[in-house]
Amino acid sequence: AAARSADARVRRGAATALANAENEDGADVLDRLLSDGEPTVRAVAVQSVADRTLSSRLARLIAMTEDPAPEVRTVLATGLGRFESPDAAAALQALSRDTDPSVRGAVAESAATLPDPAGNEILARLAKDRDGYVRTTVVRASGKRGDPASLERLRQATTDSEIMVRVSALIEIGRLGDSGSFEAVREALSDPVESVRDAARTAMKSVRPPVSN
């Protein structure tokens, strides 16, 4: 009954409550809420399906990549990362081209744990995104992955046009202690921006030059 209420707040509450249901309980109700006329209700329903990783509803989520509301697509981009499925990965590939930077940023976050080749393919594309927020998110996702391709992205990001991207890249390099990034960090010590130089000095404490053979 709550899912059919005229009050959107009640319907959102119903969608939230269904996140804790087991097996297929309430899945038919979530189907109805995924088609709700109110974007916030749809977003909460997407989140509930993702929290439960309801594989029976994955196709329904994938069909929502064209939802008109960016807040729904943003939650969707985060939720699809929970599904270990090539179809979910393909949907994230599509969302990585979304017109809204919040959606693309959410895709980058999901790509941090997405298996290859999709994970690094998505991050490689978004590393060239026109939006600084998205590129910063790519840097953080690359830091979580820590694989060779991600480390190379971090080195390249130390010369990004956006200050926050450069700082974030240096923070991740320092956290990982990657000796292969020594030269990139050393060059960042001469960055014209003080906050970038500070991040480089901090990173240099944990990054050592590669040992010559």
Side-chain angles (χ1 to χ4, degrees):
R4 297 180 183 277
S5 172
D7 190 334
R9 291 172 299 179
V10 175
R11 301 198 303 278
R12 283 197 301 272
T16 301
L18 288 170
N20 299 315
E22 297 182 356
N23 301 316
E24 292 293 312
D25 292 348
D28 55 337
V29 178
L30 281 173
D31 273 339
R32 184 181 309 116
L33 294 170
L34 288 170
S35 300
D36 196 274
E38 171 60 43
T40 58
V41 176
R42 296 198 303 278
V44 174
V46 167
Q47 186 66 61
S48 292
V49 172
D51 285 347
R52 293 169 61 180
T53 55
L54 279 171
S55 56
S56 64
R57 297 303 184 272
L58 177 57
R60 182 72 181 81
L61 292 188
I62 291 172
M64 296 181 71
T65 56
E66 300 294 332
D67 192 282
E71 61 263 45
V72 175
R73 301 196 305 277
T74 299
V75 175
L76 180 64
T78 301
L80 285 170
R82 295 172 176 262
F83 292 86
E84 296 180 0
S85 160
D87 291 338
L92 285 168
Q93 289 270 21
L95 285 170
S96 72
R97 299 177 176 86
D98 197 275
T99 57
D100 191 286
S102 296
V103 178
R104 301 196 302 275
V107 171
E109 290 177 0
S110 287
T113 56
L114 203 62
D116 278 332
N120 270 313
E121 286 178 355
I122 288 172
L123 290 176
R125 178 183 303 111
L126 293 178
K128 302 172 184 176
D129 197 275
R130 62 186 179 277
D131 190 275
Y133 157 73
V134 176
R135 298 198 305 278
T136 300
T137 307
V138 167
V139 162
R140 291 168 181 162
S142 296
K144 289 179 181 178
R145 292 183 73 91
D147 56 21
S150 295
L151 290 172
E152 181 57 30
R153 268 193 303 276
L154 292 178
R155 293 170 200 139
Q156 293 176 1
T158 61
T159 59
D160 192 274
S161 60
E162 290 280 342
I163 295 171
M164 193 63 234
V165 177
R166 302 201 300 275
V167 169
S168 296
L170 290 162
I171 289 172
E172 293 299 330
I173 288 172
R175 184 179 63 79
L176 293 169
D178 174 45
S179 61
S181 299
F182 178 80
E183 287 300 325
V185 175
R186 186 169 69 173
E187 290 180 10
L189 291 171
S190 301
D191 194 277
V193 178
E194 178 64 26
S195 60
V196 179
R197 296 196 299 273
D198 284 345
R201 283 191 286 268
T202 300
M204 193 60 84
K205 295 176 183 177
S206 57
V207 175
R208 295 291 179 264
V211 178
S212 303
N213 292 328

